[in-house]
Amino acid sequence: MRVRKKPWAAPYIKSHPDLIVTDPETQLGHWQERFPSQQPIQVEIGIGKGQFIIEMARQNPEINFLGIEIQESVIATALRKLVESELPNVQLVETDGAFVDTLFAEGEIDKLYLNFSDPWPKKRHAKRRLTSPNFLIHYQKVLKGDGRIQFKTDNRGLFEYSLTSFNNFGMVFDEVWLDLHHSEGNVGNVQTEYEEKFSAKGPIYKLVAHFKEA
């Protein structure tokens, strides 16, 4: 989906280097230095307008959160929310989050969130799905041994593909929900903007999984 360019976005991002990173490769292995306290680091790839990650940080002050988004106009909106929130445990990253092992050192991340990623429905585009083996191998490198991946989607096809992909990769499922908003798993669920808008139209699928330790 094409995002309308916002003229104010670039200068606004440039004016807040304390809250947003635009050259993330330089931070590899040093992300803790972006925060006032050294705490577990959790990462969301594709934060949209930032509702999920900012609320997660508000509810979990003992965790440091990094939100990755490639769309300049979108992350600028998230940045504006972050400025207003004054939360010390959130940092934003303007980049493509696909190949996280170029952004993070081995074992630097405690948990990874994939919320309503692009389903890439055509079979020939399967390798572009963020839950494909092409990406799982990179997630495995940067997650700690007991690190988790949490995935949510409203796309049944993508969810079924992801279950198969995780299983074939040898991952262990901690929890699986086939209708999150009508189950006990919805207690304490932090929603994204997309989730709030589309959850009434059908079930939200969710899973939490981890890699088997070698």
Side-chain angles (χ1 to χ4, degrees):
M1 182 179 68
R2 180 173 296 179
V3 178
R4 181 177 297 178
K5 186 174 178 62
K6 298 177 181 177
W8 58 269
Y12 189 73
I13 289 171
K14 190 175 181 179
S15 68
H16 290 89
D18 57 321
L19 296 176
I20 186 167
V21 175
T22 56
D23 54 350
E25 293 81 4
T26 64
Q27 298 295 319
L28 190 149
H30 299 280
W31 286 103
Q32 290 285 6
E33 298 171 14
R34 298 285 304 183
F35 300 95
S37 300
Q38 289 204 0
Q39 304 177 143
I41 293 177
Q42 299 188 1
V43 177
E44 182 186 10
I45 297 179
I47 66 168
K49 297 178 181 178
Q51 177 172 299
F52 175 84
I53 198 166
I54 290 174
E55 183 57 30
M56 285 292 291
R58 183 178 288 113
Q59 294 186 18
N60 301 277
E62 75 286 357
I63 296 172
N64 291 332
F65 290 88
L66 288 167
I68 299 175
E69 176 60 52
I70 193 172
Q71 296 284 355
E72 180 182 76
S73 295
V74 176
I75 201 170
T77 299
L79 176 59
R80 190 160 57 185
K81 291 181 181 178
L82 178 56
V83 170
E84 294 172 354
S85 74
E86 299 183 344
L87 291 167
N89 60 327
V90 187
Q91 289 281 310
L92 303 183
V93 188
E94 184 187 0
T95 192
D96 185 348
F99 302 104
V100 291
D101 56 341
T102 66
L103 309 177
F104 302 101
E106 184 175 343
E108 194 170 10
I109 299 174
D110 290 82
K111 191 170 185 178
L112 181 66
Y113 297 94
L114 303 173
N115 291 320
F116 302 94
S117 309
D118 191 329
W120 292 103
K122 295 182 180 179
K123 189 174 181 179
R124 68 175 184 273
H125 293 153
K127 292 183 178 180
R128 299 185 184 184
R129 298 168 189 163
L130 293 187
T131 53
S132 76
N134 292 344
F135 295 112
L136 294 181
I137 193 169
H138 299 297
Y139 304 153
Q140 186 176 28
K141 290 178 182 178
V142 300
L143 280 167
K144 291 184 177 179
D146 60 349
R148 262 58 180 173
I149 295 178
Q150 178 174 302
F151 170 66
K152 286 198 289 187
T153 183
D154 63 334
N155 187 291
R156 180 172 177 174
L158 178 61
F159 190 70
E160 292 175 347
Y161 168 86
S162 301
L163 286 171
T164 301
S165 178
F166 283 31
N167 182 68
N168 290 347
F169 203 84
M171 296 186 69
V172 178
F173 295 99
D174 300 289
E175 298 174 286
V176 175
W177 294 268
L178 301 180
D179 191 354
L180 177 63
H181 286 220
H182 295 90
S183 69
E184 294 180 359
N186 192 43
V187 177
N189 177 52
V190 175
Q191 298 189 67
T192 70
E193 296 91 346
Y194 182 95
E195 187 174 355
E196 281 189 346
K197 185 176 180 181
F198 290 97
S199 60
K201 298 183 178 182
I204 300 298
Y205 307 96
K206 177 182 174 181
L207 67 81
V208 179
H210 65 276
F211 297 97
K212 290 182 181 178
E213 293 192 53

